[in-house]
Amino acid sequence: MADGISAPIEHRYSPYTDNGGTILAIAGEDFCVIAGDTRQSEGYSINTRYAPKVFKMSNNSVLANSGFHADGVTLAKQLDQRIQESTGEWYRHAHEKDMSTPAFAQLLATTLYGKRFFPYYTFSIVGGLDKEGKGCVYGYDPVGSFERYTCRAAGSAQNLIQPFLDSQVGITAVNRAEQLSLVSVIRIVKDAFTSATERDIYTGDFIEMFIITQEGVETQLHPLKRD
Amino acid sequence: MNRQDQLLDGFYRRDTYSPRVQDMYPRDQPSAFAGVDPVAHTQSPIVTGTSVIALKFQGGVMMAADTLASYGSLARFRDVERLHKLTDTAVLGSTGDVSDYQHVQHMMERLMIREDYHNDGHKLAPPHLFEYLRNVMYHRRSKNDPLWNRFVLAGHHNNTSFLGYVDLQGTTYQSDTIATGFGAHLAQPLLRKAVESRGGPQNVTEEDAIKIIEDCMRVLFYRDARSLNKFQRATIATDRLEITEPYSVDTEWAFAESIRGYGV
């Protein structure tokens, strides 16, 4: 920059920003619920009240991304192309079936690690059904380290929601989760988000919820406080 | 250090992520990178435009931007048009670096010509243009060579309004009201209040929209030191795309006479 002349709006460039937002997923016996709020923020400003961050992929897995929105959108787009039959590695042609959710979970880990030295700044969760038809949830860090969970929260209200889920759902698969009905799980998800909205300024506006069963994927939209 | 910086600091410090040169080469051998600086494209904006504001109304979209291009705090060029007609159904508005904006104008123009050559009756609709622009912006940010702009794309195609935002980091969103720069702080609350109090864009008439836009531009001129009371307003509605010649709104400065210090 020239002597004595300074740029008026930005002083330093970063390829990343934090768009806030919260996501969570709970695995049930034969279903999975995965949800995210729809607020998109930057600093103290709300960009929009409806910017989806939970995406239904073409193989009936559902991917939720919090963190840097632009990376999340790019990641979802790239993965969906990869599992389609007509592009990329032709998974469906090669195997004559849709990719399973556990396989998709591994694909996401590999994709994230592929950008280990210029990471996708996303905290992702994958929800779906495993090969036995049981609900499954996978949680990730931005460079692809992942693990299967019974329930998982991520994003700006992770610290508020995860302890609540641990108490209501249980940490291990042999705990209460197997007994929880879909109705109770949906109630827990709504409670988690309404509570988080009270204290986290980056969470609010709407919950977008995806319910995955053998029959398919159902979407619900519920209002949250907009303040 | 604000919250955002704290988050990014741990993640994007070069020394934590990149393998260090001294780890890869023995000490007594010269580094392959000796005397070569890392590629650093990132610049900073030079000649800049300030806020763009836009809202949806019943049957269309309206957008406005003033005609000032600043050189730092110097009001350098006072007749630069920052609203650009892309197609018969879409207008692009730009905040930030003017030369990068002109580069994008040129690029979009070439895209339009390429598409026209097909002569297949298909037209690029606003969502297509938006997706293209997002890909360009995200690609450049990923090369660490960003186009230093915040773009607002407004369109109306097949009786559907489109209003989207994309910036130098590739961040995108769509909304009933959008405001960039200072407008995000000063105009956005006014725009949202105007639209929400009427129960949504479908209850905002074109006359309402003009009044709302002009009120916002007046507030911006009062408070944004990089603004100018000379602006253009674009209306994109069914079978109509119009960008006004630059014009002004009435201002009232008499109240300023009595203000001393911070105006308490």
Side-chain angles (χ1 to χ4, degrees), chain A residues 185-196:
Chain A
V185 166
I186 290 174
R187 199 181 59 238
I188 289 169
V189 170
K190 285 185 186 171
D191 283 351
F193 273 102
T194 41
S195 307

Side-chain angles (χ1 to χ4, degrees), chain B residues 105-234:
Chain B
Q105 274 182 298
H106 182 70
M107 206 178 54
M108 297 307 272
E109 205 57 55
R110 288 197 322 186
L111 172 70
M112 263 18 116
I113 291 169
R114 275 206 308 278
E115 288 295 317
D116 276 355
Y117 273 143
H118 292 302
N119 203 21
D120 54 2
H122 287 290
K123 289 265 159 54
L124 289 177
H128 306 137
L129 297 167
F130 186 69
E131 192 66 19
Y132 184 90
L133 199 58
R134 185 202 94 89
N135 281 320
V136 169
M137 296 301 277
Y138 185 79
H139 178 73
R140 289 292 293 261
R141 86 100 217 184
S142 298
K143 289 202 297 183
N144 214 16
D145 185 16
L147 293 167
W148 214 291
N149 301 100
R150 295 162 197 287
F151 289 120
V152 180
L153 195 143
H156 188 80
H157 187 83
N158 283 345
N159 287 317
T160 311
S161 290
F162 182 93
L163 187 54
Y165 165 100
V166 55
D167 69 12
L168 70 166
Q169 288 161 321
T171 305
T172 53
Y173 57 85
Q174 295 172 43
S175 187
D176 290 344
T177 61
I178 287 179
T180 64
F182 243 99
H185 302 104
L186 294 173
Q188 183 70 284
L190 302 171
L191 292 168
R192 284 187 183 152
K193 191 176 179 184
V195 173
E196 285 170 20
S197 67
R198 288 170 172 83
Q202 69 278 6
N203 300 322
V204 180
T205 65
E206 187 169 344
E207 292 69 42
D208 288 340
I210 295 174
K211 169 88 166 51
I212 295 162
I213 287 277
E214 289 181 351
D215 285 347
C216 288
M217 292 309 283
R218 184 181 294 107
V219 169
L220 283 170
F221 177 59
Y222 280 145
R223 283 291 175 175
D224 179 2
R226 305 284 170 265
S227 70
L228 191 67
N229 188 12
K230 187 182 169 195
F231 62 91
Q232 290 179 290
R233 184 169 49 73

